[in-house]
Amino acid sequence: MKRWLILGHRWLGIATGMFLATWVLSGLVMMYVPFPNLTEAARLAGLPPIAWDRVRLGPDAALKPLGLTRLPLALSLGMRGDAPVYRTILPTGELGTVSAETGAVLGPLSGAEALALVRARGGTGPNPSVTTIQRDQWTVTARYDPFRPFHVVAHDDSAGTERYVSQVTGAVVLETTRFVRGWNWLGSIPHWIYLTPLRARAELWRDVVLWISGIAVAGVLSGLVLGVWRLRLRRPYAMGVSPYRGVMRWHHLFGIVGGVALLGWVASGWLSMNPNRWFSGPSPTPAMRSAVMGEAPLPGLDALRTVAVSGPVEIRFTGIAGQVHAVATDADGRRHVEPPVAPQSLSTAAARILPGAQVVAAETLTAYDAYWYPHHETRVLPVLRVRFDDPAETSAYLDPETGEILMRLDRSGRANRWLFSAPHRFDFAILTRHRPAWDLVLWTLNGLGAGIALTGIVLGWRRLRRPAPSR
């Protein structure tokens, strides 16, 4: 058994050693440089104020020719260039842009219009340029599918800024810089095996990552078992607690000290791919959102007049238990909701999230809990947490100011938090709220993991270079 364990660990390590080293080292980069995105604060800061003198149609009049009489799941008022527009979901299921001045459905944004839009936001150099793409390294995921294709505007500035403007909606959906793009080639891209031709085929990419990480789990687990088996504390070997010498000795000792952490990272990384679809996601389903909205009618032009005085750059329309609320947001992220969401309306709407289930507890959280917490992202407080008596023990977190469902959580989602997020990101409050404690722990454990992987690569290389025995 020991012989087979040694052989299995050796060849599994040779097969996955480079992946392990890459994952550990790229994880250090990802602690500080995330995958390119457009933060909500940056998105709002770049939006121009709504030109109210050109808003001549309310949502009811502008969207009625499209067959919309009820509030859709997504509806907002903002600017496209110098013209106010409604952005919504068309009856076809596609995203659409409708003029708030004439009610016309606007066609795709041209490259020249995209360039002018980005120039109006400021920060461009003397010679900005625009190219049109369907998909690239930074827009490879499915979340960008409704917005394709894109006009990519290169700012010609010192930071190498590029903004991606959706042809469909005319909105900026992504912003990257040379710094972020460069570091991601050492961070997220190798860590997630995010090569565009592979990642564009979502199921193939998922299978590849599952198989590689699954084999790596077997390699690390076999090494951990073997390492403990070969360790002697009470009756040491002649050279100490390990029977090995040189690089092999370092590999053994690194594995004893850091093997559990490395196993936790690799196993949780495998689980992050949701094998067999064991875990549900945190996003509320369309049915849940519709249940909260109720049969909310499209508002008229008068509904906009009460929020126009706050100088918003965007207005989103939400429905709570059949009543429409306008959420006006300014460039600094400050919100004004009209009419304000009444606690009773919010409670009534929340109770409808799961038909057939009863609310067993509802409380307003003014502090983060083990599931609703910030880590590399912003999370609002306070939130309303509602728990149901369904078999999955579902909970929902709602924004009490706007009534929107922020997150849903069932038994599988809670399991995913402790089986993936906790061992993979170490996002425990005691660490993340007391930086740099989190950094020190992660650097220490990553250093041990790197020691295991790099010494393993040296040993594997030596084994592969060993001449075959003569017969």
Side-chain angles (χ1 to χ4, degrees):
M1 182 177 177
K2 186 181 291 185
R3 173 177 171 77
W4 282 109
L5 188 63
I6 292 172
L7 289 174
H9 176 64
R10 175 186 298 161
W11 292 105
L12 288 171
I14 288 173
T16 61
M18 288 297 295
F19 287 102
L20 288 169
T22 299
W23 288 332
V24 170
L25 296 174
S26 60
L28 290 173
V29 176
M30 294 174 68
M31 290 170 59
Y32 306 103
V33 185
F35 197 70
N37 69 338
L38 180 65
T39 65
E40 183 66 2
R43 186 185 74 85
L44 291 171
L47 296 179
I50 296 174
W52 289 106
D53 58 323
R54 297 186 61 179
V55 179
R56 299 182 182 162
L57 298 174
D60 55 350
L63 303 183
K64 187 175 182 180
L66 301 177
L68 292 174
T69 58
R70 299 290 181 183
L71 188 67
L73 290 178
L75 175 62
S76 65
L77 171 64
M79 298 295 290
R80 174 168 152 167
D82 59 356
V85 296
Y86 293 106
R87 295 184 173 97
T88 186
I89 300 175
L90 299 175
T92 60
E94 300 174 324
L95 297 180
T97 306
V98 180
S99 170
E101 191 172 18
T102 65
V105 178
L106 302 181
L109 192 78
S110 69
E113 290 172 322
L115 183 58
L117 184 151
V118 170
R119 269 182 160 164
R121 293 169 68 110
T124 56
N127 297 301
S129 60
V130 59
T131 57
T132 302
I133 64 162
Q134 184 70 23
R135 182 192 308 268
D136 70 357
Q137 181 67 57
W138 316 116
T139 58
V140 72
T141 59
R143 66 182 290 260
Y144 290 107
D145 286 351
F147 305 99
R148 303 184 196 280
F150 305 101
H151 295 301
V152 183
V153 180
H155 280 214
D156 187 35
D157 60 351
S158 59
T161 306
E162 294 181 352
R163 285 194 172 112
Y164 290 64
V165 184
S166 168
Q167 277 194 26
V168 177
T169 66
V172 176
V173 297
L174 177 64
E175 179 178 297
T176 73
T177 63
R178 187 183 301 109
F179 176 87
V180 171
R181 293 192 299 270
W183 277 106
N184 264 270
W185 285 103
L186 300 176
S188 298
I189 293 173
H191 195 87
W192 294 333
I193 316 180
Y194 245 42
L195 302 176
T196 304
L198 176 63
R199 185 60 183 87
R201 303 175 64 182
E203 287 303 312
L204 175 61
W205 168 75
R206 180 174 178 272
D207 289 341
V208 167
V209 177
L210 275 171
W211 276 102
I212 293 175
S213 57
I215 294 171
V217 168
V220 176
L221 179 60
S222 62
L224 187 60
V225 172
L226 186 61
V228 173
W229 196 345
R230 297 291 283 164
L231 189 70
R232 283 191 186 177
L233 298 178
R234 293 185 178 179
R235 294 183 300 161
Y237 301 96
M239 61 287 294
V241 296
S242 174
Y244 306 112
R245 299 178 184 275
V247 176
M248 186 66 181
R249 181 181 181 85
W250 282 109
H251 185 67
H252 184 201
L253 296 179
F254 275 131
I256 291 296
V257 179
V260 172
L262 184 60
L263 178 62
W265 273 325
V266 181
S268 59
W270 179 74
L271 288 172
S272 73
M273 302 307 298
N274 201 4
N276 296 318
R277 313 295 181 184
W278 287 330
F279 309 113
S280 62
S283 299
T285 65
M288 290 178 175
R289 296 176 61 199
S290 295
V292 169
M293 290 175 59
E295 294 295 321
L298 283 170
L301 189 59
D302 290 342
L304 304 178
R305 303 188 191 283
T306 55
V307 293
V309 295
S310 62
V313 297
E314 181 180 70
I315 297 177
R316 292 183 297 106
F317 299 92
T318 65
I320 311 296
Q323 184 177 17
V324 178
H325 299 267
V327 183
T329 309
D330 67 15
D332 295 321
R334 292 184 294 263
R335 299 187 301 187
H336 174 69
V337 182
E338 191 64 40
V341 176
Q344 183 57 46
S345 298
L346 185 60
S347 299
T348 300
R352 299 175 179 173
I353 291 176
L354 287 181
Q358 299 295 319
V359 175
V360 295
E363 56 185 320
T364 299
L365 302 182
T366 57
Y368 298 111
D369 66 6
Y371 303 99
W372 182 257
Y373 59 93
H375 184 64
H376 294 316
E377 69 266 321
T378 301
R379 292 244 170 123
V380 301
L381 281 177
V383 293
L384 175 66
R385 183 178 65 193
V386 183
R387 295 176 177 172
F388 298 88
D389 64 357
D390 63 307
E393 300 178 0
T394 302
S395 297
Y397 293 75
L398 294 88
D399 187 336
E401 187 176 11
T402 66
E404 296 166 291
I405 307 177
L406 302 174
M407 184 176 76
R408 60 134 176 183
L409 193 69
D410 59 16
R411 187 184 295 111
S412 71
R414 285 187 285 273
N416 188 47
R417 190 267 182 271
W418 299 112
L419 294 176
F420 164 62
S421 296
H424 205 80
R425 303 167 67 187
F426 276 68
D427 50 3
F428 303 106
I430 194 172
L431 295 177
T432 57
R433 295 179 187 176
H434 300 89
R435 305 269 307 258
W438 179 76
D439 305 71
L440 293 174
V441 170
L442 266 293
W443 273 92
T444 300
L445 295 178
N446 271 272
L448 292 171
I452 298 170
L454 295 175
T455 54
I457 290 172
V458 172
L459 294 170
W461 177 247
R462 289 179 179 177
R463 179 63 183 79
L464 291 175
R465 292 187 62 191
R466 186 184 303 172
S470 58
R471 297 186 178 181

